[in-house]
């Protein structure tokens, strides 16, 4: 799947799920990822729970539900590679979507992930689980 093309064309809502080293889970609304290479994406993060969890557990899942009826979208299974704090690259990338610039006193992290697997939001022809 060409992630760059997919995320350029699709509108929707994304959720990044992480867990800490003890397995306590968290989920947070996140913008579409920045596609860096064929199997590498990045997210810009504040110093909050999602970022904290990734310090002790490098696994995450990004769920993206496309706008519109039904349950179209993708699930990206991720492994954290590395991160940069307040780097020039971070603010260059950020300025493309948010021209506001750097916010003083609020550290930001550019967190890179390897995309280990891509699955549809739900299996083909299936209904969502649960009631």
């Amino acid at each position: 799947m060409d992630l760059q093309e997919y995320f350029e064309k699709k509108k929707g809502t994304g959720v990044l799920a992480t867990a800490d080293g003890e397995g306590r889970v968290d989920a947070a609304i996140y913008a579409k990822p920045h596609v860096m290479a064929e199997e590498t994406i990045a997210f810009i993060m504040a110093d909050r729970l999602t970022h904290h969890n990734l310090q002790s557990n490098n696994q995450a899942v990004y769920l993206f539900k496309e706008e519109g009826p039904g349950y179209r979208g993708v699930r990206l299974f991720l492994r954290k590679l590395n991160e940069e704090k307040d780097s020039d690259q971070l603010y260059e990338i950020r300025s493309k979507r948010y021209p506001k610039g750097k916010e003083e006193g609020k550290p930001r992290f550019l967190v890179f992930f390897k995309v280990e697997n891509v699955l549809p939001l739900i299996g083909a022809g299936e209904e969502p689980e649960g009631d």
Side-chain angles (χ1 to χ4, degrees):
M1 168 180 241
D2 183 338
L3 294 175
Q4 181 75 38
E5 181 179 351
Y6 177 80
F7 286 115
E8 283 177 1
K9 291 184 177 181
K10 302 296 182 183
K11 292 182 179 182
T13 302
V15 175
L16 185 61
T18 59
D20 66 14
E22 300 296 317
R24 291 179 294 258
V25 298
D26 175 55
I29 299 290
Y30 263 76
K32 293 187 274 188
H34 301 277
V35 179
M36 309 303 286
E38 186 175 330
E39 294 182 349
T40 305
I41 64 171
F43 291 99
I44 295 174
M45 299 182 178
D47 193 16
R48 294 189 179 138
L49 186 55
T50 297
H51 181 256
H52 173 77
N53 286 351
L54 289 165
Q55 304 312 299
S56 59
N57 182 343
N58 67 353
Q59 302 294 309
V61 173
Y62 180 72
L63 177 148
F64 183 79
K65 184 195 176 297
E66 294 177 18
E67 258 183 19
Y71 295 95
R72 290 191 200 101
V74 294
R75 291 175 287 159
L76 306 181
F77 293 81
L78 309 171
R79 179 175 46 85
K80 179 184 165 188
L81 298 170
N82 56 36
E83 66 180 54
E84 301 172 358
K85 181 179 178 182
D86 291 326
S87 68
D88 290 340
Q89 183 179 16
L90 182 157
Y91 289 105
E92 180 182 327
I93 290 169
R94 188 171 188 258
S95 70
K96 292 176 185 174
R97 286 191 193 166
Y98 311 103
K100 185 177 175 181
K102 184 176 180 179
E103 296 177 47
E104 294 300 322
K106 294 184 179 184
R108 295 280 187 252
F109 301 88
L110 182 60
V111 183
F112 297 89
F113 294 90
K114 178 181 187 329
V115 178
E116 297 193 320
N117 198 8
V118 179
L119 294 176
L121 191 57
I122 61 173
E126 294 181 20
E127 293 296 317
E129 293 183 16
D131 293 333

